[in-house]
């Protein structure tokens, strides 16, 4: 038998978002489900091949795969925004290049990533100096810090877990992040703290760190979700610190 049917409107009645996630990332999708509004917001995810260890060379290798990863998004959809979920990768490849490469693969009105999102968040909160906590080795962290400084966000206070292996980054526990971040807050005159890396588990430690330090706390996943929502004229769902309340 053949049946007639009627068509419903698209799932993303308020916003249709795309997110390109690194192959070894275990954290960002879970975080985004907690932060983005549910009703009327569609989030589609594609994975991009990436190395298990993070270096400048392995980050640069993702450049060639970005159009293909974007092209795996559902065809026929007009995306309001597409995010690239790699903070350090953005500093190596460049925000403008990432936007161009993603638009080769998917029809999207806007593209963002954690670096542009962090710069936008700092502007919204009038932040110029951050205490920077990274899980990664010095080479990767310095490239990112230089990129931020070129855009008016300096990091006079810096600390790292000095870990290159993504699987281990995803296992750094909340107590370790809290202890490191609060120690950085005592080291110098900063306007906020930034917890770098989309694979680092940060959502549940943001409010405790803010309470302990009195400083706004930003993280890669928080700023990216906030910026994507803001581009679509939406606010985040849930309380994940100062930025989530804007």
């Amino acid at each position: 038998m053949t049946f007639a049917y009627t068509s419903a409107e698209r799932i993303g009645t308020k916003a249709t978002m795309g997110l390109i996630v690194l192959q070894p990332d275990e954290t960002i999708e879970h975080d985004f489900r907690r932060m983005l509004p549910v009703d009327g917001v569609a989030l589609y995810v594609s994975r991009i091949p990436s190395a298990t260890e993070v270096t400048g060379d392995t980050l640069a290798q993702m450049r060639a795969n970005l159009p293909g990863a974007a092209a795996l998004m559902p065809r026929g959809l007009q995306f309001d925004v597409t995010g690239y979920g790699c903070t350090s990768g953005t500093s190596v490849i460049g925000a403008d290049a990432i936007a161009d490469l993603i638009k080769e693969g998917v029809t999207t009105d806007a593209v963002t990533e954690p670096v542009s999102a962090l710069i936008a968040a700092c502007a919204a909160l009038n932040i110029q100096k951050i205490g920077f906590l990274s899980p990664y080795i010095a080479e990767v962290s310095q490239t990112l810090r230089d990129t931020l400084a070129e855009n008016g966000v300096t990091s006079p206070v810096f600390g790292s877990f000095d870990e290159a292996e993504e699987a281990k980054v995803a296992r750094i526990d909340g107590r370790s992040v809290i202890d490191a971040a609060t120690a950085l807050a005592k080291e110098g005159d900063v306007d906020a703290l930034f917890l770098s890396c989309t694979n680092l588990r940060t959502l549940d430690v943001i409010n405790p760190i803010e309470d302990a330090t009195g400083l706004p706390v930003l993280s890669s996943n928080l700023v990216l979700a906030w910026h994507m929502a803001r581009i679509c004229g939406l606010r985040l769902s849930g309380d994940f610190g100062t930025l989530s309340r804007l």
Side-chain angles (χ1 to χ4, degrees):
M1 298 176 66
T2 301
F3 298 95
Y5 67 89
T6 56
S7 295
E9 58 185 345
R10 66 179 187 172
I11 295 172
T13 54
K14 295 179 181 177
T16 298
M17 301 181 180
L19 181 64
I20 297 174
V21 177
L22 273 59
Q23 185 175 356
D25 195 313
E26 302 176 30
T27 307
I28 190 171
E29 289 163 287
H30 178 69
D31 284 359
F32 265 56
R33 292 187 188 103
R34 297 175 63 188
M35 288 186 286
L36 291 178
V38 175
D39 293 337
V41 176
L43 176 67
Y44 300 98
V45 177
S46 177
R47 292 255 167 181
I48 183 169
S50 58
T52 56
E53 290 197 358
V54 179
T55 68
D57 289 339
T58 61
L59 291 168
Q61 289 169 6
M62 280 187 283
R63 182 186 185 105
N65 292 315
L66 269 170
L72 293 175
M73 297 289 183
R75 294 175 180 170
L77 283 180
Q78 173 74 39
F79 286 81
D80 297 295
V81 62
T82 301
Y84 169 57
C86 186
T87 319
S88 299
T90 299
S91 68
V92 171
I93 300 170
D96 290 341
I98 286 168
D100 291 341
L101 291 164
I102 287 176
K103 287 181 177 180
E104 287 181 22
V106 68
T107 303
T108 184
D109 293 337
V111 174
T112 188
E113 18 59 34
V115 176
S116 295
L118 175 59
I119 293 165
C122 287
L125 294 172
N126 195 28
I127 292 166
Q128 296 177 324
K129 296 180 292 183
I130 57 173
F132 190 119
L133 178 61
S134 169
Y136 294 133
I137 60 176
E139 171 203 3
V140 172
S141 302
Q142 190 60 54
T143 301
L144 178 52
R145 293 172 70 196
D146 291 344
T147 299
L148 293 172
E150 291 168 3
N151 288 276
V153 181
T154 62
S155 51
V157 178
F158 173 77
S160 171
F161 294 112
D162 201 30
E163 179 56 62
E165 189 175 338
E166 283 283 14
K168 292 181 179 179
V169 169
R171 298 290 183 274
I172 296 172
D173 68 6
R175 185 72 258 167
S176 299
V177 177
I178 291 171
D179 290 346
T182 52
L184 287 181
K186 297 175 182 177
E187 287 297 310
D189 179 21
V190 295
D191 305 319
L193 297 169
F194 175 59
L195 315 176
S196 184
C197 180
T198 62
N199 208 8
L200 190 65
R201 301 181 188 182
T202 61
L203 288 194
D204 292 323
V205 302
I206 289 173
N207 278 318
I209 297 171
E210 288 198 346
D211 291 342
T213 65
L215 295 170
V217 177
L218 308 174
S219 74
S220 291
N221 289 348
L222 173 62
V223 297
L224 182 57
W226 170 83
H227 199 216
M228 290 172 66
R230 191 177 182 91
I231 286 169
C232 297
L234 302 172
R235 298 180 64 182
L236 295 183
S237 176
D239 184 358
F240 302 102
T242 302
L243 182 67
S244 70
R245 301 176 198 130
L246 291 186

